[in-house]
Amino acid sequence: MQKTLHYLIVFLLVSCSTAEKKPSMVYFGGEIVNPSSDHVILYKGDMTLDTARLDENNRFFFHLDSVDEGLHHFYHYPEEQYVYLERGDSLQIRLNTVDFDESLAFSGTNEQVNNFLVELFLASEQEEELVYSLYGLEPKEFVYKIDSLKNLKLDALNSLSEEYELSANALEIARSGIMYNSYIAKEAYPFYHKKKKGEKAMHELPADYYNYRSEVSYDNSRLTYYRPYYNYMKYHLGNLSYMDCEKGCNTGKKMVKNHLHFNQHKLKLIDSLIKENELRDNLFRNVAMDYLLKYDTEENIEIFIKEFHQLSGNNRHIHEINNLYDGIRNLQPQKELPELIVSDFEGNQVSIKDLGKDRKVVFYFWSAPEKRHFSNMIKRIDLLKENYPDYSFIGLNVRTEHSRWNNMLEQAQLDKSEQYWTENFDDVAHTLIVYDPNRGIITNNGIIVDAFANVYTSFKVE
């Protein structure tokens, strides 16, 4: 307690200091109302910098000798958000996990740019329906509307930079968030317009429609882990792959439905366009995860993984991709359920292999933090039980404290004999490839029928 008080005093002194020389030490802390775990983790990119425990007042505190200036992010299970840090910063946050992003507020040095980034994030979320409604417009009118939204944010940023002295890096991060969010909408427009209007071919675009691409940077390491930039790259590569295939491949309308072919295009584009190592690795990983988690034949999966290794064999995520590949091969039809130990409501451990014996089973997944998903899933399972009485439906809980899981079984009045708890999510994710929350695994007498079913789309109900 005395040590924490000492750090807090230093925090306040540094916050109020007017010394000309900027120190290197960084202080970052705050208060979390209704905490959902007992700690906060601070990251730079995908590297963990430090972990801070909450004290008895639900406060946490980081003190770092120095930082690599730029975007970081902090994680408080199951949520995360950005924090922009520079040398000498003293920054505090306050948030309520009930409304994590909406309640998040920064105070201290660089509070202006951090609060602006949160507002920008929330504005983008709130604008999703509006932007979707604009996809039916003609190209020039659509661009005008999207640019108007972009310019409103740029004006707000300009006003902020005139009132407060923002560093060049902070200004670049904030401006990039605005620009790349608008670029995402423009990349998506041809596809959503075609869908909304029911057109058979892509709408003809003005000759200058893609001029904004001249502003795109493929090697900005400061933006590698910034969501607007990274999401833009995914849209952009998908768009280029589609257009490239449409012009140069004899696949006709099946170009995207041929999942292997389409993702081979993406791999080649990343290899030719992206030179920044971490962005390159992350985008290769994204394509691999997207492809492997959408079921394809074993033959096609082998073709894809061979090409992935050729182009990105030293990928920083190669161990994860190889594990996913091995896991998917083990979940092919006609194979036995893999060995995975789970616990029943009395604490007895049992293998899912044994749960699947001598009956037809659909395994589904749920998690306490995802309350809406849990509620919807239980309703869906009740409906499936009525329509498929010859199946047993077994719920596997992930990412939930055991006592909370027990309480939820009681509150929802679930049949405890059909519910099982898993302690190690990484083990479950690796063994059963649990990434899609609506995933279902269909088995018959312990033999896999379909390990990549969807509880909403794989079953017909009356």
Side-chain angles (χ1 to χ4, degrees), residues 323-324 326-331 337-341 352 365 424-435 439 441 448 451-452:
N323 280 344
L324 177 60
D326 290 339
I328 288 172
R329 287 197 303 173
N330 291 333
L331 292 174
L337 272 169
E339 193 70 51
L340 180 71
I341 302 300
I352 62 170
F365 303 87
N424 189 330
F425 175 74
D426 290 337
D427 188 27
V428 178
H430 170 65
T431 306
L432 299 182
I433 319 299
V434 183
Y435 291 91
R439 170 89 175 284
I441 299 177
I448 295 170
F452 298 93

Side-chain angles (χ1 to χ4, degrees), residues 298-316:
E298 279 193 88
E299 181 184 2
N300 282 351
I301 291 172
E302 288 181 16
I303 293 170
F304 175 87
I305 208 72
K306 182 178 180 180
E307 188 161 345
F308 179 87
H309 281 191
Q310 289 173 345
L311 296 176
S312 192
N314 61 346
N315 192 296
R316 63 198 290 118

Side-chain angles (χ1 to χ4, degrees), residues 383-397:
L383 185 61
L384 292 180
K385 285 180 180 179
E386 294 178 10
N387 283 264
Y388 295 87
D390 54 332
Y391 278 87
S392 297
F393 291 83
I394 294 179
L396 299 180
N397 176 269

Side-chain angles (χ1 to χ4, degrees), residues 8-24:
L8 183 58
I9 292 172
V10 174
F11 184 101
L12 295 172
L13 288 173
V14 174
S15 297
C16 301
S17 174
T18 56
E20 291 184 6
K21 186 177 180 181
K22 193 173 183 180
S24 62

Side-chain angles (χ1 to χ4, degrees), residues 312-441:
S312 192
N314 61 346
N315 192 296
R316 63 198 290 118
H317 309 290
I318 195 69
H319 182 66
E320 178 189 16
I321 298 302
N322 287 341
N323 280 344
L324 177 60
Y325 171 59
D326 290 339
I328 288 172
R329 287 197 303 173
N330 291 333
L331 292 174
Q332 295 302 304
Q334 302 306 311
K335 291 190 176 182
E336 288 187 354
L337 272 169
E339 193 70 51
L340 180 71
I341 302 300
V342 295
S343 299
D344 67 15
F345 70 98
E346 292 180 341
N348 301 311
Q349 293 191 328
V350 59
S351 169
I352 62 170
K353 270 183 158 184
D354 294 331
L355 293 178
K357 283 182 179 178
D358 302 321
R359 56 177 172 168
K360 295 179 180 179
V361 175
V362 176
F363 294 94
Y364 64 96
F365 303 87
W366 62 273
S367 173
E370 304 296 331
K371 295 178 182 178
R372 181 178 296 179
H373 173 262
F374 170 65
S375 176
N376 291 337
M377 180 62 75
I378 296 306
K379 292 176 183 176
R380 180 63 180 178
I381 295 302
D382 285 343
L383 185 61
L384 292 180
K385 285 180 180 179
E386 294 178 10
N387 283 264
Y388 295 87
D390 54 332
Y391 278 87
S392 297
F393 291 83
I394 294 179
L396 299 180
N397 176 269
V398 296
R399 289 178 170 168
T400 307
E401 292 181 359
H402 190 268
S403 58
R404 188 177 181 186
W405 171 69
N406 263 320
N407 289 336
M408 292 184 73
L409 296 186
E410 295 284 355
Q411 292 171 5
Q413 297 182 335
L414 299 181
D415 184 343
K416 292 181 179 180
S417 67
E418 298 175 345
Q419 297 295 326
Y420 293 83
W421 180 75
T422 61
E423 183 174 13
N424 189 330
F425 175 74
D426 290 337
D427 188 27
V428 178
H430 170 65
T431 306
L432 299 182
I433 319 299
V434 183
Y435 291 91
D436 180 355
N438 297 325
R439 170 89 175 284
I441 299 177

Side-chain angles (χ1 to χ4, degrees), residues 187-367:
E187 290 286 341
Y189 170 78
F191 302 93
Y192 279 109
H193 182 82
K194 178 175 178 286
K195 180 180 178 181
K196 285 181 77 78
K197 301 303 261 186
E199 296 174 349
K200 294 182 179 181
M202 288 293 181
H203 198 83
E204 185 175 349
L205 301 174
D208 62 351
Y209 182 84
Y210 289 114
N211 281 1
Y212 64 88
R213 288 179 175 173
S214 64
E215 303 294 323
V216 171
S217 169
Y218 292 103
D219 59 358
N220 191 331
S221 60
R222 291 186 296 276
L223 300 178
T224 294
Y225 290 90
Y226 192 28
R227 196 173 298 124
Y229 178 71
Y230 183 66
N231 285 346
Y232 171 75
M233 285 299 169
K234 291 190 293 182
Y235 270 95
H236 181 50
L237 290 165
N239 197 334
L240 290 178
S241 298
Y242 184 94
M243 301 303 181
D244 186 37
C245 185
E246 186 180 41
K247 293 177 181 177
C249 300
N250 186 26
T251 55
K253 295 180 181 180
K254 298 180 180 179
M255 64 181 77
V256 176
K257 291 183 178 180
N258 188 332
H259 202 47
L260 171 63
H261 181 84
F262 184 59
N263 281 282
Q264 285 175 309
H265 271 283
K266 287 186 182 180
L267 292 178
K268 291 171 184 175
L269 276 171
I270 294 170
D271 186 51
S272 64
L273 291 176
I274 311 297
K275 304 306 176 187
E276 203 283 318
N277 287 334
E278 286 192 66
L279 177 62
R280 179 182 170 90
D281 282 355
N282 292 348
L283 288 170
F284 269 124
R285 174 192 178 275
N286 175 259
V287 174
M289 297 291 282
D290 180 69
Y291 174 75
L292 292 173
L293 291 173
K294 292 177 180 174
Y295 177 70
D296 204 347
T297 65
E298 279 193 88
E299 181 184 2
N300 282 351
I301 291 172
E302 288 181 16
I303 293 170
F304 175 87
I305 208 72
K306 182 178 180 180
E307 188 161 345
F308 179 87
H309 281 191
Q310 289 173 345
L311 296 176
S312 192
N314 61 346
N315 192 296
R316 63 198 290 118
H317 309 290
I318 195 69
H319 182 66
E320 178 189 16
I321 298 302
N322 287 341
N323 280 344
L324 177 60
Y325 171 59
D326 290 339
I328 288 172
R329 287 197 303 173
N330 291 333
L331 292 174
Q332 295 302 304
Q334 302 306 311
K335 291 190 176 182
E336 288 187 354
L337 272 169
E339 193 70 51
L340 180 71
I341 302 300
V342 295
S343 299
D344 67 15
F345 70 98
E346 292 180 341
N348 301 311
Q349 293 191 328
V350 59
S351 169
I352 62 170
K353 270 183 158 184
D354 294 331
L355 293 178
K357 283 182 179 178
D358 302 321
R359 56 177 172 168
K360 295 179 180 179
V361 175
V362 176
F363 294 94
Y364 64 96
F365 303 87
W366 62 273
S367 173

